[in-house]
Amino acid sequence: MKKQFKTESKRLMDLMINSIYTNKEIFLREIISNASDAIDKLHYKSLTDKSVKINKEDLCINVSIDKTGRRLTISDNGIGMSKEELESNLGTIAKSGSFDFKNDNARKENIDIIGQFGVGFYSAFMVASNVRVVSRAYGSDDAYEWESEGIDGYSINETDKDTYGTDVILTIREDSEEEYSKYLEEYEIRRLIKKYSDYITYPIKMNVTKSRLKDGSKDEYEEYNEEEIINSLVPIWKRNKKDITDEEYDTFYSDKFFDYEKPLRHIHTAAEGTISYNSLIYIPSHASFDYYSKEYEKGLQLYSNGVLIMEKCADLVPDYFSFVKGVVDSPDLTLNISRETLQQNRVLKTIASAIEKKIKKELTDMRDNNEEDYLKFYKDFGMQLKIGVYSNYGMNKDKIQDLLMFYSSTKEKLVSLSDYCSRNKDYKDIYYACGETTSKIDMLPQVESLKSKDKEILYCTEYVDEFVFKTLMKFDDKEFKNVCSDAIENDTEESKELDKLNKKSKDMFNVIKDEIGVSEVKFTNKLSSHHAVCLSNKGDVSIEMEKVMKEMPIDNGVEAEKVLEINESHPIADKLKDLYKNDKDELKEYAKILYAQARLIEGLPIDNPTEISNLICDLMAK
Ligand code: ADP
C-alpha cells in the first residue's frame, strides 16, 4: 500500500527532483553522513549498554556500484531502523528544523537553504529515480524495506536482511540534459567521498576494479576486484597541520557546524605531555540567529580518541568566548564520563584553560594584525565580551578588557582602551559619554565643549557600555569619567573663581532646586558659550543608567542624582541673578523651562510638557 508524504516533505522532494539546484553531488555526502551517525549511535550504545556487543573493528560503511543495474548502494552496520522508525524518519521531512517551508519562499531562497544546511536523505532523489532503504534495527530479527520513486509516496514492506544496519539502494536516473551515469563510475564516487566525507571516522569501503598483468604474460592485462578504504579515516583534528589546506579547514567547519559563511580563524592544536589532546577551534565570522537567546548552547564537541562522547561540552569554553565552535579529542578522557564528574575533571579543566588562552591569543592577534576581521568579529561578538566583563561581579574583567573596543570621538572609529591610553598619556582620566547614537552624543553640550579642546572621548552607545566601565573602574591607572557627570578636571584658576561664584549664588540655587526637584544646581564653565544648560549627575547612577533601568521589565525606581548646570558665561546666568533679586515667581518659571531643556538634551522625558509649552509661549508673546 502506498502512503503519502507529509506536505512539507512533498515540497522539498519536488524541489529535489525538479532540482534547479546544481550541486547534486552532495547526495552522497548526506547518505554517508547518515550512515556514520547510525554507526556512532550503535557504538555509543555499546559503551553504555553491556548487552550490546559489537566489534569496533567491524564498523564500516560500504559503497558498491552495479553499473548494469544502474544501482549505487550505501550500506552501514549501524543501529538500523525499525518499521516505525523508517516510517517516521523517512516519511517526513528532517526534524532538525533546518527548513521552514510554511511560507512560500521564492525558489531561489530555497536553493540557498539547500546550500546552507544540506538536505539530508531526500537529496537522493536528485540523482535517483527509485530509492530503497533496507534496514534491520540492532537487536531485532525483523527487517523492512522502504521504497519510493518520489512525490507519489512510499511503501514499507517486510523483507530479509542477514545483519543489522541499513542499505540505501539508489537506482540512478537515466541521462537526460543532465548526465547522471557518472554516479555509477568508480572514480567519480571516489572523488566525492574524498571531497565530502574524508573525515568520517569509519572506513568507507568500496570494491574497486584494478588491473594487473596476467600470470605469465608480459603484455596481457586482466581486471580484478579489490576492497579499498577510500577515506583517510583520521579526523582532520588529528592530522598534521601542515598537510591541511585552508579549504579543508573551512569545509570541515561548514559541514560540521552548519555555517555557510567561512570562519574568521581556526586554531588547531596538538598537545602532548601529561595531558594529551587535539583540538580544532573556530572563530565564526558572524553570530548565529539564536546566539543572544536563551536557546543558544555553548560548547565544544568532545571526543575520546575519535569517539564522540559529548555533542556540546559547555565546560570547555567560558561564557565570554561562547561563540567559538570546535572539537576536542583527548585519549586521557574515559568514555563513560558523566556530566557531573566532567565538571570536576582535572583533564578537562586543564584543556579548557589552555583553550581559553589560545582563543585570547588568536583574538589579540587578529585585533593587532587584521583590523577588518576583528571589526567583523567585534560587530557580532563585542556585546558578549562586554557582558563577560561585568558578569560574575567582574571576576574575569582582566582577561577580557584588552579585547574591548569603543568608538572614539577623534578617530571616528572603534579603538581599544590601550590605544586610547597610549595616545593620551597626559590625561588623568579616560573620558566617555553615553547616548543612543554617536551623532546624538556628539551634540551633548558637555561633549561639544571637550571636543573643542581636542579631547578624545569614548562614546557608549550600547546599554552595557557604562556598566563595563563601572566594573573596570580603572584602565592603565586612569579612571573612567563620564563627561556628563560632574567630576571632570577643570582649569584650576578658573575653577576657583567658579567656586566663589557658586557659593555666592547658593540661595538662588536653593530656590531653583526646590522648584524643580534636583539634587544640585550650579554654574559651570565647561560649556561652549552658546549652550545655556546641561544635566549631569552625582553618585554612582548616571543618567544613561537611569534610562536603562527604566527599560527593564521591573522598574526598581533607580534614579540618577541630577545636577542642573547653568553656563556662567551665558546671558541667561545674569538674567537669573536679576530675577532672583526682582521676581522670584518668574525665576521659578525660568527654572522649569531650563530644566526641561536640560532633560530633553539628555534624552530624558519631561513630566509636564503642556505646562512647559505654555510657559515658553507666554515668554515668546512678551
Ligand atoms: P537528518 O540526518 O538531518 O536528521 P535525514 O533526512 O538525512 O535528516 O534523515 C532522517 C533520519 O533518518 C535521520 O535522522 C535518522 O534517524 C534516520 N536515518 C537516515 N539514514 C539512516 C541510516 N543509514 N541508519 C539509521 N538511521 C538513518
Side-chain angles (χ1 to χ4, degrees), residues 520-539:
E520 194 182 335
V521 179
K522 65 182 185 185
F523 283 129
T524 182
N525 58 9
K526 73 183 177 192
L527 295 179
S528 319
S529 57
H530 58 283
H531 290 300
V533 284
C534 72
L535 205 58
S536 65
N537 71 284
K538 299 202 288 189

Side-chain angles (χ1 to χ4, degrees), residues 267-295:
I267 312 166
H268 189 176
T269 312
E272 262 171 70
T274 30
I275 292 170
S276 303
Y277 69 91
N278 294 73
S279 65
L280 179 53
I281 316 282
Y282 291 91
I283 299 172
S285 60
H286 66 117
S288 56
F289 68 95
D290 63 346
Y291 182 61
Y292 285 105
S293 77
K294 277 205 181 71
E295 279 67 48

Side-chain angles (χ1 to χ4, degrees), residues 195-292:
K195 178 169 176 189
Y196 292 112
S197 313
D198 204 39
Y199 62 81
I200 293 283
T201 45
Y202 306 101
I204 303 173
K205 297 176 179 170
M206 186 157 78
N207 249 324
V208 294
T209 324
K210 298 188 169 173
S211 64
R212 62 184 165 207
L213 275 177
K214 262 190 176 165
D215 260 357
S217 162
K218 280 207 171 73
D219 51 4
E220 239 187 306
Y221 286 85
E222 64 174 1
E223 289 194 330
Y224 71 101
N225 277 326
E226 195 177 74
E227 192 178 72
E228 200 183 310
I229 296 172
I230 310 291
N231 56 332
S232 38
L233 274 169
V234 186
I236 187 167
W237 59 87
K238 283 200 173 176
R239 284 166 54 197
N240 198 326
K241 266 194 241 190
K242 58 181 200 312
D243 300 334
I244 309 171
T245 61
D246 282 348
E247 198 191 340
E248 280 180 280
Y249 277 123
D250 290 351
T251 308
F252 176 78
Y253 170 80
S254 59
D255 284 357
K256 190 116 188 150
F257 304 110
F258 307 108
D259 185 355
Y260 53 97
E261 270 181 51
K262 276 188 189 169
L264 287 174
R265 294 283 175 104
H266 63 257
I267 312 166
H268 189 176
T269 312
E272 262 171 70
T274 30
I275 292 170
S276 303
Y277 69 91
N278 294 73
S279 65
L280 179 53
I281 316 282
Y282 291 91
I283 299 172
S285 60
H286 66 117
S288 56
F289 68 95
D290 63 346
Y291 182 61
Y292 285 105

Side-chain angles (χ1 to χ4, degrees), residues 50-64:
K50 285 201 174 60
S51 70
V52 178
K53 288 194 182 63
I54 52 161
N55 199 346
K56 191 171 181 262
E57 281 70 51
D58 295 340
L59 298 172
C60 70
I61 298 164
N62 260 295
V63 179
S64 65

Side-chain angles (χ1 to χ4, degrees), residues 302 309-310 313 315 332-349:
L302 188 60
I309 47 179
M310 197 176 288
C313 181
D315 300 316
D332 299 322
L333 288 165
T334 49
L335 283 178
N336 47 14
I337 200 162
S338 76
R339 263 168 218 276
E340 294 77 58
T341 55
L342 207 54
Q343 276 172 5
Q344 325 297 336
N345 191 287
R346 190 181 57 87
V347 177
L348 202 77
K349 276 188 179 161

Side-chain angles (χ1 to χ4, degrees), residues 34-35 38 41 76 80-81 89-90 94 96 120-121 166:
N34 281 345
K41 282 180 200 156
D76 66 69
M81 282 178 276
N89 293 341
L90 306 184
S96 43
F121 171 72
T166 304

